[in-house]
Amino acid sequence: MNQLALLSSWVGKTFAVWALVSAVLGFIFPEFFASLAFLIVPILGIIMFGMGMTLKTEDFLEIIKRPKPVLVGLLAQFTLMPLIAYLLTVVFNLDPLIAVGVILVGCCPGGTSSNVITFLAKGDVALSVSITSISTLLAPFLTPILLNLFAGQLIDIDLVSMMITITKIVILPILLGIVVHKLLGKKIEFAISVLPMISVLGISIIIAAVVAVSKATILDSGVIVFIVVALHNMIGYSLGYFIARFLGFTEMQRRAIMIEVGMQNSGLGAALAATYFNPVAALPSAIFSVWHNFSGALVANLFAKRDGL
């Protein structure tokens, strides 16, 4: 039991490697992994259920205890990232379908792996979890509205339908996970300990499926999409940190807000793109998922060296 939990923890911490491996496998074996694309939405639901099982009431009360850093993190998340994404699509003159995918990533809530990266970076983990949790609960409303604002001129967006979909695949599984945790408590501690491995496996399948479906697009414009995604992520990190610094937050809070702003729920982006637009529009989400875990690990290592650890 303990060995499996340790393995799960190790897999979670080395997520960047598995994300890259899954992308390569999806590219090499497109026929097989493209056939798994129908699993994207249910897999995301399972991951969100697992996230719900790890949440506590205190995670949502943080906004009452420390409203300023939580609100700043949320505002930066839902303003900077969509705006940066939009400006990058204009600067690089991206194909409309790819542009929608980039903007969609920018409109998504914080990524679930941001909490692990914040921990490794010696940031404020409680603040990170709170921002991730609250931004995820706000996603059914804010993600479609922001997407319509920044990408409505590129493609028709069914706001109500998308809100309902996000509620079904994100909010309901999270709430169910919270209820299960409340009812069973310590009885599911082992299940919670293996959640990192399940989440990594799920996201890896999503990445492989999206890459497989988008192989032709990757060969045609993959380098440009990668550059845009990397810039999106790194600019988000930089602005998140400097805004938190400008507002006088502690170093631990700066790191948490920086990582929350820069890392997005790319699994949700891929699911929405594949459901409402075209699997090709999910390519930026897949690349983002691979890249932000590498960049997050790099950021955590840089902070560790800076702290002399």
Side-chain angles (χ1 to χ4, degrees):
M1 290 285 192
N2 288 335
Q3 289 181 333
L4 189 58
L6 289 172
L7 174 63
S8 178
S9 176
W10 176 74
V11 169
K13 291 177 181 178
T14 55
F15 183 23
V17 175
W18 306 114
L20 179 60
V21 168
S22 65
V24 172
L25 289 175
F27 191 82
I28 296 174
F29 305 106
E31 293 83 7
F32 172 74
F33 286 103
S35 68
L36 302 181
F38 75 98
L39 293 173
I40 290 176
V41 171
I43 286 175
L44 182 62
I46 292 170
I47 293 171
M48 292 297 101
F49 172 73
M51 177 183 175
M53 288 176 64
T54 66
L55 295 178
K56 304 179 182 67
T57 308
E58 296 78 32
D59 299 330
F60 301 98
L61 295 178
E62 193 72 17
I63 194 169
I64 298 174
K65 298 176 184 175
R66 297 186 294 174
K68 187 176 178 180
V70 175
L71 289 173
V72 167
L74 290 170
L75 285 171
Q77 173 102 67
F78 284 119
T79 56
L80 292 179
M81 293 305 276
L83 181 58
I84 295 166
Y86 172 75
L87 292 175
L88 287 171
T89 63
V90 173
V91 170
F92 285 87
N93 193 29
L94 295 181
D95 175 88
L97 205 53
I98 295 296
V100 169
V102 171
I103 294 170
L104 178 55
V105 174
C107 297
C108 285
T112 53
S113 57
S114 62
N115 308 145
V116 176
I117 298 298
T118 299
F119 171 77
L120 295 175
K122 307 301 179 186
D124 190 328
V125 177
L127 176 60
S128 173
V129 172
S130 297
I131 296 174
T132 300
S133 305
I134 297 169
S135 69
T136 301
L137 292 181
L138 292 173
F141 310 101
L142 293 183
T143 296
I145 290 171
L146 289 169
L147 182 62
N148 188 57
L149 175 66
F150 287 100
Q153 74 280 9
L154 299 174
I155 198 166
D156 290 332
I157 298 165
D158 189 335
L159 280 176
V160 175
S161 178
M162 189 175 287
M163 287 178 180
I164 293 172
T165 297
I166 298 176
T167 300
K168 286 180 180 178
I169 65 177
V170 175
I171 304 303
L172 292 182
I174 286 177
L175 293 178
L176 182 59
I178 292 173
V179 170
V180 169
H181 192 191
K182 281 284 185 182
L183 292 176
L184 299 180
K186 293 185 177 181
K187 295 179 181 179
I188 58 169
E189 280 185 357
F190 175 71
I192 292 175
S193 70
V194 298
L195 284 176
M197 187 161 56
I198 295 172
S199 296
V200 169
L201 175 62
I203 292 293
S204 295
I205 293 173
I206 291 175
I207 292 171
V210 170
V211 168
V213 173
S214 310
K215 183 174 180 178
T217 305
I218 294 172
L219 291 172
D220 182 51
S221 56
V223 173
I224 294 297
V225 178
F226 176 82
I227 291 172
V228 169
V229 165
L231 284 172
H232 187 201
N233 172 238
M234 299 305 288
I235 294 172
Y237 283 151
S238 301
L239 291 179
Y241 185 87
F242 286 116
I243 287 173
R245 181 178 179 180
F246 175 76
L247 292 173
F249 294 143
T250 66
E251 178 62 23
M252 291 180 68
Q253 290 172 334
R254 294 174 197 172
R255 295 179 187 184
I257 291 172
M258 165 190 173
I259 292 166
E260 282 301 315
V261 173
M263 299 185 75
Q264 303 293 91
N265 190 332
S266 49
L268 176 60
L272 292 176
T275 301
Y276 283 93
F277 309 122
N278 183 296
V280 172
L283 179 60
S285 292
I287 294 177
F288 199 100
S289 188
V290 176
W291 168 255
H292 80 173
N293 283 288
F294 272 108
S295 67
L298 178 62
V299 164
N301 287 334
L302 289 174
F303 278 129
K305 288 182 179 179
R306 176 173 152 183
D307 294 340
L309 299 175

